[in-house]
Amino acid sequence: MSLGSHPAIALWLALVAFCSQTLSAAEDVNQTSQPGRPNILVIMADDLGYADLGVQGGCEIPTPHLDQLAASGIRCTNAYVSAPYCSPSRAGFLTGKYQTRFGHEFNPHVGEEAKLGLPLEEVTIASLLGKEGYRTALIGKWHQGFSKDHHPQSRGFDEFFGFLVGGHNYLLHKDVKPRFGSAHSHDMIYRGREVEPQEGYATDLFTNEALRWMSGPPDKPWFLYLSYNAVHTPLEIAPHLQKRIPESVKLPARRSYLSLLAGLDDSIGRIMQHLSQNGLRENTLIIFLSDNGGSGRAPILAYNSGLNHPLRGDKGQTLEGGIRVPFFVSWPRQLPAGTIYEQPIISLDILPTVCQLAAKDPAKPQPLPQGIDGVNLLPYWLAQRSGSPHESLFWRFGPQKAVRAGNWKLVDWRDFPASNSSGWELYDLSTDISEKNNLAEAHPETVARLKTSWEKWNQSNIEPLWRGSKMEDPTPMTK
């Protein structure tokens, strides 16, 4: 069954048609109203499968709150992250730059602690918004280094509640001794710089903390990076979610994954309800995305049974399944509801977009750091500017690489374990979203043009500051 014929997608298309008929007055307001400085809420899921939300075609478990969030704003159907792995992807979002420009190519798990993590000279979105008078917080997963200098509160965040590394258990107990690992920690939730014993379910605790923090002093606008570890491994089922898993789902890993997704969707509902009940919804810009694609292949790459169809590939690959993600943006009365934006965008665009909105003087926003690769998407979302925000998008992940220009995608993923690829492959994503029909032999001139553009882009990248695991980086890196 194609996505277009899927019941959930049919429902979505009906909703879009309904919204387009009933929101003409709101669209007129969008053209004339002058927005103030909004609160900014970026919600990032972890390893979310592209096809697991109802609005994305998922049908095994309802995701009504995420579907409603998507319907309340703009759903970007060609949205990407800058890496198919957790930490480098987040480094790109936090800086607005391709993380390969500053050596943050792999997860910072192996090496000297003082050097592992987002390089200290890089400026984060939190630092920039703080300079504009925003209060800032990170709740949930950090994964940008665990030394004192790499701590979130050393990188622009006023407050931090969460964990520092790549993975963490969900079922927390106060009487369990915390255990640290550079890739995974256990019962090691920090408040600020100190571990604070917790009892309960991590997703719920992060949501509780977000509700508390958003209810803080109203004298300043705020920026919250709500960074859930759901639906990343470990696949632990909370007792209150057990009955929500359909009996028709037999695979244990899939059952556990769907429970994590149900808990995430519940939390989105609580967040939205809180914003509405406290009069914050209309003045809050919400962006939802995943840090990379789902990991649907056992037993490698933190396997969580996420589904990425109709995309090919998974987490850890520069195929579409590793880098194309669900992406919704919602801001009542300012961004049109119930619409789809189809031009390619990337998570690097979030920083320049929100920094423009956060400027005390919109006519004279503070200069962004040099080398920003993202662009301000607001003129495109408001139909004030046509065309594509990017001429091309690029990826490098160890020996894997890719470039997208228009509908063309050139990708080389041959060094990925178990890959049957033999070099550059060319796909027309307008007709082949699943990357099944390699057109490299039929269009050698396009292959040469895109390969040259990738090589030119790669000249501004540097060697990784630390090496990845054999899974990430199976061969020595060369430019």
Side-chain angles (χ1 to χ4, degrees):
M1 179 183 291
S2 68
L3 273 183
S5 62
H6 194 285
I9 294 300
L11 177 62
W12 166 258
L13 294 174
L15 177 61
V16 170
F18 173 78
C19 289
S20 65
Q21 295 171 4
T22 60
L23 290 173
S24 58
E27 290 174 356
D28 290 339
V29 171
N30 290 341
Q31 298 300 318
T32 59
S33 62
Q34 297 297 319
R37 299 205 302 164
N39 302 316
I40 299 164
L41 172 58
V42 175
I43 305 173
M44 186 173 289
D46 198 344
D47 292 5
L48 177 63
Y50 185 81
D52 283 321
L53 304 182
V55 71
Q56 298 281 119
C59 58
E60 285 184 292
I61 195 167
T63 56
H65 303 298
L66 280 161
D67 296 350
Q68 185 178 22
L69 176 60
S72 72
I74 302 171
R75 184 166 70 103
C76 300
T77 55
N78 282 271
Y80 292 91
V81 288
S82 58
Y85 234 40
C86 300
S87 184
S89 170
R90 293 161 188 265
F93 150 66
L94 286 165
T95 62
K97 301 178 183 180
Y98 287 108
Q99 63 287 340
T100 44
R101 298 204 188 281
F102 49 83
H104 195 133
E105 193 157 348
F106 305 114
N107 284 343
H109 296 168
V110 180
E112 184 180 344
E113 177 178 326
K115 296 180 180 179
L116 287 175
L118 183 66
L120 301 180
E121 62 272 17
E122 297 301 324
V123 180
T124 71
I125 186 173
S127 294
L128 293 170
L129 294 176
K131 290 179 180 179
E132 292 288 1
Y134 275 64
R135 62 186 185 97
T136 61
L138 165 64
I139 296 174
K141 174 175 173 172
W142 175 232
H143 207 192
Q144 298 295 301
F146 44 86
S147 73
K148 178 181 177 181
D149 290 339
H150 286 97
H151 188 277
Q153 289 177 294
S154 297
R155 308 310 304 273
F157 291 96
D158 299 327
E159 295 188 38
F160 169 58
F161 179 84
F163 61 97
L164 295 174
V165 295
H168 198 281
N169 61 307
Y170 292 87
L171 303 178
L172 308 174
H173 302 283
K174 287 186 175 181
D175 57 350
V176 173
K177 183 178 179 180
R179 300 199 305 271
F180 174 81
S182 63
H184 178 89
S185 58
H186 198 94
D187 285 283
M188 204 165 190
I189 301 297
Y190 287 79
R191 182 178 297 280
R193 296 181 184 272
E194 302 296 329
V195 174
E196 182 177 274
Q198 299 292 330
E199 189 79 25
Y201 182 58
T203 304
D204 292 342
L205 290 173
F206 294 151
T207 303
N208 295 343
E209 188 67 18
L211 301 183
R212 178 201 68 79
W213 190 84
M214 290 187 296
S215 299
D219 57 325
K220 289 184 176 182
W222 48 258
F223 165 62
L224 173 59
Y225 174 27
L226 182 51
S227 177
Y228 288 107
N229 53 325
V231 288
H232 193 286
T233 54
L235 300 177
E236 298 178 338
I237 303 179
H240 68 285
L241 295 171
Q242 284 183 326
K243 294 182 179 180
R244 303 270 293 279
I245 309 166
E247 293 184 2
S248 58
V249 180
K250 303 301 183 183
L251 181 67
R254 185 66 178 167
R255 293 181 62 83
S256 299
Y257 172 91
L258 292 175
S259 78
L260 297 178
L261 180 57
L264 175 64
D265 189 72
D266 287 351
S267 284
I268 299 303
R270 293 176 61 201
I271 294 290
M272 302 301 291
Q273 182 181 40
H274 174 87
L275 292 173
S276 296
Q277 290 180 345
N278 288 275
L280 298 171
R281 181 65 183 96
E282 288 199 355
N283 195 39
T284 301
L285 171 73
I286 303 174
I287 297 174
F288 174 87
L289 73 161
S290 178
D291 63 348
N292 48 249
S295 180
R297 292 160 300 119
I300 60 176
L301 294 176
Y303 167 67
N304 69 358
S305 79
L307 298 180
N308 295 323
H309 63 74
L311 308 180
R312 178 188 180 196
D314 297 271
K315 171 183 178 178
Q317 295 177 293
T318 52
L319 294 166
E320 292 290 283
I323 55 177
R324 188 189 290 213
V325 297
F327 190 111
F328 319 138
V329 56
S330 176
W331 187 12
R333 298 182 60 81
Q334 302 301 335
L335 295 177
T339 59
I340 292 177
Y341 185 76
E342 296 183 333
Q343 293 288 355
I345 64 170
I346 194 165
S347 55
L348 310 180
D349 299 330
I350 295 174
L351 183 148
T353 301
V354 303
C355 283
Q356 175 65 43
L357 285 172
K360 294 176 182 177
D361 182 356
K364 297 180 180 180
Q366 65 170 310
L368 295 177
Q370 286 189 335
I372 295 293
D373 293 298
V375 301
N376 178 12
L377 293 175
L378 279 175
Y380 298 92
W381 286 338
L382 293 173
Q384 297 168 350
R385 186 175 299 173
S386 61
S388 178
H390 297 273
E391 181 179 349
S392 300
L393 297 173
F394 301 93
W395 293 267
R396 189 184 82 184
F397 187 60
Q400 298 187 71
K401 40 194 175 284
V403 52
R404 175 166 180 175
N407 291 323
W408 289 113
K409 164 90 175 285
L410 187 69
V411 58
D412 182 349
W413 58 291
R414 60 186 161 184
D415 289 307
F416 189 85
S419 167
N420 293 318
S421 173
S422 58
W424 287 110
E425 299 174 0
L426 180 68
Y427 298 99
D428 180 354
L429 296 179
S430 67
T431 59
D432 184 19
I433 192 176
S434 302
E435 296 175 290
K436 292 181 178 179
N437 184 22
N438 181 7
L439 300 175
E441 291 187 5
H443 297 275
E445 72 290 347
T446 302
V447 172
R449 175 173 59 86
L450 295 182
K451 180 174 179 288
T452 298
S453 71
W454 185 92
E455 291 170 343
K456 181 178 178 181
W457 167 79
N458 193 44
Q459 290 174 2
S460 62
N461 294 326
I462 67 172
E463 291 290 321
L465 296 180
W466 55 85
R467 306 307 302 188
S469 67
K470 289 183 179 180
M471 198 67 66
E472 299 168 313
D473 183 26
T475 61
M477 240 291 302
T478 59
K479 285 194 174 184

